Amino acid sequence: MSLFEPLQQRGLRLRNRIVVSPMCEYSATDGLPNHWHLVHLGSRAVGGVGLVITEATAVSAEGRISHGDTGIWNDAQVAAWQPITAFIRSQGAHVGVQLAHAGRKASAQLPWQGGGPLGKDESPWPTVAPSARPFDEGWHVPAELDEAGIEAVIEAFRIAAGRAAAAGFELVEIHAAHGYLLHQFLSPLSNHRTDRWGGDLEGRTRLLREVVRAVREVWPETLPVWVRLSATDWTDGGWDDTMSVELSRMLKALGVDLVDVSSGGNVPHAKIPAGPGYQVPFASRIRHEAGIATGAVGMIIDSAQADAVIREGAADVVLLARELLRDPYFPRRAASELGVTIQAPVQYKRAW
């Protein structure tokens, strides 16, 4: 395998192993993507990536992180996504949506407005979680989801997946990382329940497994489903990579095609030893021990490093975030540096 070798997943063939990692832009209104999202996501498709995945896109209004999040809980949002997905596909890239519910981290300010919980004069909304424990001191105390509330969350993901297909998306990624609702259920640090949705690994993973089942029931069999996990909470007593391996085995059996391996986000003051490729070993362990395709993400910043991740069998794709913000045309630069020829848009061929 190499960075520019195509990847086949079900009926989807990625032209290379470079993926736009989901990155919140906090620039939507009422969940509607707009011209910013068209240009931001579309330019990465022009730049030559194999797959573009949208930012965390809320399955319900109360599941948004902030007022600026994109959504896919109504038909107007489906219509707003359609020209964006069509343009991405027209450039030879495939397009996926990350379906998300923020749980106790919802009702937050935009990052450039502080990033904390919304104040009373900022139109906050009630938040929910597996247990009535706030994310941090000063954050909203979430309501503990009851059985009906949990079933409503599952149904919201199911309906959102159906809308995603109508919007022109070709891949669904279920967001179960970074301290959002599904991760909150996974981790003993945020899930203190004693019913069937908590307790042991079987109980704490139940909601994610039920969401995967619901999505797979409505999502086309010919198209992939991915799940993003935080492999570890980086905190004693929390979710860890051994649990992630076991969960990944369960997800594979449910029809998940790839685990997108990140880390952290569930507790506010975890000490994370960030550095180039610091999460790659988690992706490698899950890939080899759970026998499922993985994606590596986290400070992958140059072509040789990205290519090595694939060649060494640590992951099947690399997901780039900040590097693609710095350079939307990273794949074209990487191809040149690695001695690979890739097609340019006909409008740009005079520069090659």
Side-chain angles (χ1 to χ4, degrees):
M1 298 190 303
S2 63
L3 190 62
F4 285 94
E5 180 179 328
L7 174 66
Q8 187 80 36
Q9 285 216 312
R10 298 186 186 250
L12 211 63
R13 183 175 174 84
L14 306 186
R15 60 187 172 185
N16 58 53
R17 309 298 182 101
I18 304 170
V19 178
V20 177
S21 188
M23 291 177 279
C24 289
E25 298 297 296
Y26 303 104
S27 300
T29 301
D30 296 327
L32 295 165
N34 52 45
H35 290 151
W36 174 265
H37 301 87
L38 172 62
V39 174
H40 165 66
L41 298 171
S43 62
R44 274 80 196 163
V46 172
V49 300
L51 173 68
V52 176
I53 305 180
T54 68
E55 63 192 82
T57 297
V59 299
S60 62
E62 60 272 18
R64 291 172 296 167
I65 303 164
S66 75
H67 286 294
D69 286 31
T70 58
I72 197 159
W73 68 81
N74 63 40
D75 292 341
Q77 292 155 359
V78 170
W81 279 117
Q82 286 170 339
I84 299 171
T85 61
F87 179 79
I88 291 169
R89 295 194 312 271
S90 77
Q91 299 307 303
H94 290 292
V95 58
V97 61
Q98 187 185 65
L99 300 181
H101 191 302
R104 68 180 184 176
K105 292 177 79 172
S107 195
Q109 298 165 331
L110 306 183
W112 47 85
Q113 294 175 347
L118 291 171
K120 292 181 180 179
D121 59 346
E122 296 176 298
S123 301
W125 59 89
T127 59
V128 297
S131 304
R133 309 277 182 110
F135 172 63
D136 197 9
E137 185 176 345
W139 279 72
H140 310 293
V141 178
E144 181 175 309
L145 281 165
D146 59 15
E147 192 80 20
I150 290 172
E151 292 299 331
V153 167
I154 296 167
E155 186 63 13
F157 274 92
R158 183 199 311 273
I159 294 171
R163 285 201 170 102
F169 289 104
E170 304 166 289
L171 178 147
V172 161
E173 177 171 277
I174 298 166
H175 197 355
H178 301 163
Y180 299 122
L181 184 64
L182 299 180
H183 184 183
Q184 291 161 28
F185 270 84
L186 295 177
S187 175
L189 299 177
S190 45
N191 185 343
H192 300 270
R193 303 175 74 101
T194 57
D195 62 3
R196 69 192 188 104
W197 304 99
D200 60 9
L201 188 69
E202 180 79 10
R204 288 183 283 107
T205 62
R206 189 181 307 279
L207 177 56
L208 175 55
R209 290 185 285 113
E210 290 302 317
V211 165
V212 169
R213 285 193 183 95
V215 167
R216 257 288 158 224
E217 285 175 5
V218 299
W219 188 245
E221 183 65 25
T222 56
L223 296 177
V225 170
W226 291 8
V227 171
R228 172 163 273 195
L229 293 180
S230 281
T232 176
D233 285 335
W234 298 108
T235 303
D236 289 343
W239 184 261
D240 62 29
D241 51 327
T242 298
M243 297 174 190
S244 293
V245 169
E246 184 59 32
L247 172 58
S248 296
R249 292 191 183 109
M250 300 177 192
L251 296 176
K252 181 181 179 181
L254 293 171
V256 170
D257 299 283
L258 182 144
V259 177
D260 173 4
V261 187
S262 189
S263 70
N266 194 40
V267 291
H269 306 298
K271 291 185 168 69
I272 300 176
Y278 71 106
Q279 295 171 151
V280 172
F282 298 131
S284 181
R285 182 180 179 192
I286 290 170
R287 185 175 189 269
H288 290 97
E289 294 185 24
I292 190 170
T294 60
V297 64
M299 298 186 72
I300 298 172
I301 58 175
D302 64 58
S303 58
Q305 177 196 17
D307 191 48
V309 169
I310 304 301
R311 287 187 181 276
E312 294 168 6
D316 297 86
V317 299
V318 292
L319 295 101
L320 305 186
R322 289 175 176 84
E323 189 58 28
L324 279 171
L325 294 182
R326 290 185 282 265
D327 181 4
Y329 301 98
F330 172 88
R332 305 200 177 281
R333 172 163 55 87
S336 177
E337 291 169 352
L338 295 171
V340 176
T341 300
I342 61 174
Q343 286 293 110
V346 292
Q347 297 93 333
Y348 287 3
K349 282 196 171 181
R350 73 190 72 174
W352 260 255

